[in-house]
Amino acid sequence: MVSPAAWSFSRSSLARFTTRTKSFNSHRKWFPSAAASSLSLIAIVFLFSSLVCAFYLVTVRRIPAPDPEFFSGAGQYCDVFAGSWIPDDAYPIYNSSECPFAERGFNCLGNGRNDTGYLRWRWKPSSCDIPRFDAREALRRLRGKRIVFVGDSMSRTQWESLICMLMTGVDDKQSVYEVNGNKISKTIGFLGVKFGGFNLSVEFFRSVFLVQQGLPPKQGPRRVRSTLKLDALDVMNKRWMNSDVLVFNTGHWWTATKLFEIGCYFQFGTSLKLGLPVTAAFKMALETWASWVETSVNTNRTHVFLRTFEPSHWR
């Protein structure tokens, strides 16, 4: 069960893909189509559904396997990524104003938004039903685990949401804390929340490109102030390992506005690639990420998800 915008690495295989993929070399098909129309559909669905769907797949399918009655519908196969949103007055799952880990800038209720209709939607797969999120059951299944999010602010806000969802099942709220005593902020490169009563860690690492960003080679053009090293993963990658769930995202920063206009260009090895289009560089970076997953991540233990584009939270 793999969505058009998520790649899942499981115990039995390195990757599973849908037909909405585009090969950029002869032996690997790991890059989703960048067509605008496809991205719009992917964006709408995955802003809200990717974390919940991935979370159910991990906690229910693998830690441990579910009962056959878990998904209700015809047959045993359930594609949770194919479906639609339906109104449900039983939602939302948590109140962001009551969660200490909801970032102030994204706390709509806390900032005075009066309407709540945008919170009352439930994802309904076409061929089955998935159960309502049960925080206590999720915490039981995740006891002793480590979940890591890596990416930009989209990853950070989903990280916050997962923590707030899980906190609804915790009786002693004081047992949940940020490991370094930090308040949630976009300026901090690492944030980690510990659920003390469950020995569960939910962490976020800020890495908006996933690959290394640094100074350009010597004697380069003056307009080149920094580079993205497309063949080298972010130096923090060793801290992502030894986790039970790895959720990556990247994409929103891969634009000419956020790169070329501030003097950031591409580098491969020691060579500058000044004429390389952003889309081609993005593919090369994902190829580097994918190779790292193949060679460095123990997929017998770790589930890996890659989330791609979704609507900006500034709109």
Side-chain angles (χ1 to χ4, degrees), residues 210-230:
L210 300 185
V211 293
Q212 290 184 26
Q213 185 174 11
L215 296 175
K218 295 180 179 180
Q219 300 179 342
R222 292 185 61 183
R223 73 176 187 272
V224 181
R225 300 177 184 177
S226 63
T227 63
L228 291 182
K229 299 180 180 180
L230 303 177

Side-chain angles (χ1 to χ4, degrees), residues 269-305:
T270 59
S271 301
L272 286 174
K273 303 294 183 182
L274 298 180
L276 188 66
V278 173
T279 52
F282 186 36
K283 291 182 181 181
M284 295 170 69
L286 288 182
E287 181 79 357
T288 297
W289 167 84
S291 296
W292 175 83
V293 172
E294 285 186 333
T295 58
S296 301
V297 177
N298 177 9
T299 53
N300 288 318
R301 171 188 175 182
T302 305
H303 262 281
V304 179
F305 294 89

Side-chain angles (χ1 to χ4, degrees), residues 29-278:
K29 297 181 179 180
W30 292 19
F31 185 68
S33 171
S37 59
S38 297
L39 286 179
S40 297
L41 177 60
I42 293 171
I44 293 171
V45 172
F46 264 81
L47 172 64
F48 303 100
S49 65
S50 59
L51 175 60
V52 174
C53 293
F55 185 74
Y56 272 118
L57 285 174
V58 172
T59 58
V60 176
R61 277 189 71 218
R62 188 176 177 210
I63 317 175
D67 296 329
E69 298 81 14
F70 183 83
F71 294 113
S72 59
Q76 295 183 352
Y77 177 77
C78 178
D79 182 357
V80 297
F81 297 103
S84 59
W85 289 98
I86 62 173
D88 190 331
D89 286 336
Y91 279 63
I93 293 173
Y94 67 91
N95 185 331
S96 59
S97 296
E98 298 174 354
C99 179
F101 300 100
E103 191 174 346
R104 180 178 178 183
F106 300 110
N107 184 352
C108 296
L109 295 175
N111 290 329
R113 181 166 178 169
N114 294 320
D115 62 303
T116 59
Y118 67 100
L119 298 171
R120 302 183 186 282
W121 292 87
R122 174 170 61 87
W123 178 251
K124 171 65 174 68
S126 300
S127 59
C128 58
D129 285 307
I130 55 177
R132 181 179 170 85
F133 178 80
D134 185 330
R136 293 185 184 275
E137 177 64 11
L139 287 166
R140 184 186 70 81
R141 292 175 180 268
L142 290 172
R143 185 180 294 276
K145 304 298 180 181
R146 180 181 181 227
I147 301 174
V148 174
F149 289 79
V150 181
D152 56 30
S153 55
M154 295 295 180
S155 271
R156 189 182 69 252
T157 51
Q158 264 199 339
W159 168 82
E160 295 172 24
S161 183
L162 175 58
I163 293 168
C164 293
M165 289 165 65
L166 291 172
M167 280 198 70
T168 62
V170 177
D171 294 324
D172 181 9
K173 308 299 185 186
Q174 298 301 315
S175 67
V176 184
Y177 56 92
E178 204 286 321
V179 294
N180 293 316
N182 292 316
K183 292 186 176 180
I184 310 306
S185 169
K186 65 181 181 180
T187 62
I188 299 177
F190 166 75
L191 291 162
V193 169
K194 188 80 170 182
F195 287 75
F198 298 88
N199 191 28
L200 166 65
S201 295
V202 187
E203 303 171 15
F204 166 73
F205 291 87
R206 187 176 189 270
S207 180
V208 300
F209 299 109
L210 300 185
V211 293
Q212 290 184 26
Q213 185 174 11
L215 296 175
K218 295 180 179 180
Q219 300 179 342
R222 292 185 61 183
R223 73 176 187 272
V224 181
R225 300 177 184 177
S226 63
T227 63
L228 291 182
K229 299 180 180 180
L230 303 177
D231 58 340
L233 210 64
D234 192 312
V235 294
M236 293 191 299
N237 70 80
K238 294 186 183 300
R239 298 182 64 188
W240 309 338
M241 299 170 65
N242 300 318
S243 56
D244 297 282
V245 183
L246 264 172
V247 184
F248 292 91
N249 96 293
T250 188
H252 284 280
W253 287 63
W254 290 86
T255 67
T257 301
K258 291 188 175 182
L259 291 169
F260 303 150
E261 292 186 10
I262 61 172
C264 183
Y265 290 83
F266 305 121
Q267 180 179 340
F268 198 92
T270 59
S271 301
L272 286 174
K273 303 294 183 182
L274 298 180
L276 188 66
V278 173

